Amino acid sequence: MLVILGIITFVSLIILLASYLTDPRRLLNGFLFNTFFCLFIAFCIYLAFSTDIVILKIITIVPVLILLLSISTFGLFALCVGLFLNARILMKKESRRFANSLSLILAIFLLLLFLLRIINLKQFLPMYFEPLYGGSYLIIVYFFLHLTNFLTAYLLYQFNRPKYNQDFIIVLGSGLIKDKVPPLLASRINKAIDFYWKQSTVASPPILIFSGGQGPDELLSEASAMQKYALDKGIPPEHTMIEDQSVNTFQNMHYSKQMMDSVKGSQYNSIFTTNNFHLFRASLYAKKAGLKSQGIGSKTALYYWPNAMIREYIAIVAMQRKHHIIVVGTILGLSLLLTVLNYYLLNQ
């Protein structure tokens, strides 16, 4: 049994590496890593309890206990408290816009879920409602597993390190304050500038493409403001280009690809820079636009990360909405059918 489990774990690792090295821009990589991790933990537990080595048993039991604690009622409550505290800090440091209230909304939702688990709503429902209750719980589990796969894929993508052989660096816009580059956008430009100078020491310098249109409350396009920022930092004008028609990340990639194709044809290397929380989703848009570009991310303030990741996950779900509608619709449809059958049978 131990040998079979070890072989299965090793095969899962090979599949993970093959998928990630082929293309790190896959949500599938998160699922494959989580599968490998669970198999590896199971292998270690089986190995530990097949021997008399106490330290090995402790090493394997501790992560399992942490995992069980994190998904328990206590873990759910601790997450709620953390999200409420984060929402308070975020709204104090940033603005009270809806986009900055996502961690607060999630905290309220989890608190309600926490209370429902304590109350055990099931005991107040008629027996024939059990399938519908179970289906609702199954949907929550489905999105929890999907979120786990997304977070793992996101973390794995952070280890991506492009080579210093790029022809272009696409800098993605994120909005201006009038005509000024705000700190969030500046961090993206600085990341590109840092890569530019590092590559310049070992190869030909890349061309920086600043991508972003002009918003209704902005005095000039994001691309123009970003270019000016980079020129002030010492980047030569001939090593910059601007793309000022895009209004979202997909258009950033699409229009930038058109510019690169017009300069180099189809044979070139390119990367993009954005904030690390936006990195994985941006890579999916790059793939959708037909670019082989990988990304590098600039650091984001720790307090901003939870709210930003919630927004990223919502956007990822929206990108795959047809798939999720099918899954959720199937679960609800079967649950409703079983509920009707239960009602019919119980009232015979």
Side-chain angles (χ1 to χ4, degrees):
M1 180 64 183
L2 181 64
V3 174
I4 294 174
L5 186 57
I7 292 173
I8 295 173
T9 303
F10 180 73
V11 170
S12 70
L13 175 61
I14 296 300
I15 295 173
L16 166 64
L17 292 175
S19 177
Y20 182 80
L21 294 175
T22 302
D23 189 353
R25 304 173 298 179
R26 288 175 174 158
L27 272 171
L28 177 64
N29 294 332
F31 170 76
L32 292 174
F33 181 89
N34 290 337
T35 301
F36 160 72
F37 182 75
C38 291
L39 288 171
F40 180 72
I41 291 296
F43 173 78
C44 290
I45 291 174
Y46 196 94
L47 178 63
F49 285 89
S50 299
T51 65
D52 295 325
I53 305 174
V54 178
I55 187 67
L56 187 58
K57 293 180 180 180
I58 295 174
I59 292 173
T60 54
I61 289 176
V62 168
V64 174
L65 290 177
I66 293 173
L67 177 62
L68 292 176
L69 188 63
S70 65
I71 62 176
S72 66
T73 302
F74 172 79
L76 183 63
F77 179 73
L79 180 59
C80 286
V81 173
L83 286 171
F84 274 119
L85 292 175
N86 173 256
R88 181 174 180 274
I89 294 171
L90 181 65
M91 291 187 177
K92 185 177 180 180
K93 290 180 175 289
E94 304 290 335
S95 61
R96 294 180 179 270
R97 295 183 298 120
F98 176 77
N100 291 333
S101 64
L102 297 179
S103 55
L104 176 62
I105 293 171
L106 180 59
I108 294 172
F109 172 78
L110 291 178
L111 180 60
L112 292 174
L113 193 62
F114 172 76
L115 293 175
L116 288 175
R117 288 185 65 173
I118 293 177
I119 296 171
N120 189 15
L121 186 64
K122 186 178 178 180
Q123 64 181 323
F124 300 106
L125 297 175
M127 286 186 64
Y128 57 81
F129 265 105
E130 285 189 5
L132 192 59
Y133 179 84
S136 301
Y137 188 78
L138 186 58
I139 290 172
I140 293 174
V141 172
Y142 165 74
F143 278 108
F144 171 77
L145 293 176
H146 185 265
L147 172 62
T148 303
N149 292 336
F150 161 70
L151 290 174
T152 304
Y154 159 82
L155 290 172
L156 288 174
Y157 193 75
Q158 302 298 312
F159 292 99
N160 177 57
R161 295 293 183 270
K163 297 179 180 178
Y164 292 117
N165 63 346
Q166 307 302 320
D167 298 297
F168 301 96
I169 302 176
I170 305 168
V171 187
L172 304 181
S174 64
L176 304 175
I177 299 177
K178 299 301 182 181
D179 62 342
K180 302 297 182 183
V181 172
L184 192 74
L185 181 54
S187 68
R188 301 182 179 190
I189 306 171
N190 291 334
K191 190 71 175 180
I193 291 173
D194 180 63
F195 192 96
Y196 172 93
W197 290 120
K198 287 181 178 178
Q199 178 170 314
S200 296
T201 62
V202 296
S204 300
I207 294 175
L208 274 61
I209 300 179
F210 301 102
S211 180
Q214 182 174 350
D217 60 341
E218 296 171 346
L219 302 179
L220 73 166
S221 70
E222 295 174 31
S224 298
M226 288 191 288
Q227 183 188 47
K228 181 178 182 301
Y229 181 95
L231 295 180
D232 291 341
K233 293 287 186 178
I235 300 296
E238 62 271 20
H239 290 164
T240 67
M241 298 174 67
I242 63 171
E243 180 287 297
D244 57 4
Q245 301 301 311
S246 56
V247 296
N248 55 46
T249 305
F250 174 72
Q251 290 184 5
N252 287 148
M253 301 298 186
H254 178 69
Y255 292 141
S256 295
K257 182 180 186 299
Q258 290 181 343
M259 294 178 66
M260 293 185 292
D261 288 348
S262 67
V263 176
K264 288 276 190 176
S266 59
Q267 300 299 319
Y268 55 83
N269 296 318
S270 64
I271 61 171
F272 62 86
T273 64
T274 185
N275 293 91
N276 53 8
F277 66 82
H278 183 238
L279 193 60
F280 183 72
R281 181 162 64 97
S283 74
L284 297 182
Y285 280 121
K287 187 176 183 178
K288 186 178 179 181
L291 281 170
K292 296 180 180 179
S293 303
Q294 303 296 343
I296 52 175
S298 59
K299 292 182 179 180
T300 306
L302 188 61
Y303 72 85
Y304 195 80
W305 189 87
N307 194 81
M309 291 306 299
I310 295 169
R311 187 172 68 244
E312 290 299 300
Y313 179 66
I314 292 172
I316 290 289
V317 170
M319 288 176 69
Q320 302 176 324
R321 57 187 174 276
K322 291 182 180 179
H323 168 80
H324 295 302
I325 288 172
I326 291 172
V327 173
V328 172
T330 301
I331 294 173
L332 283 179
L334 290 174
S335 299
L336 286 171
L337 178 61
L338 290 173
T339 300
V340 172
L341 288 174
N342 257 7
Y343 177 79
Y344 177 77
L345 292 172
L346 291 172
N347 287 275
Q348 288 297 307

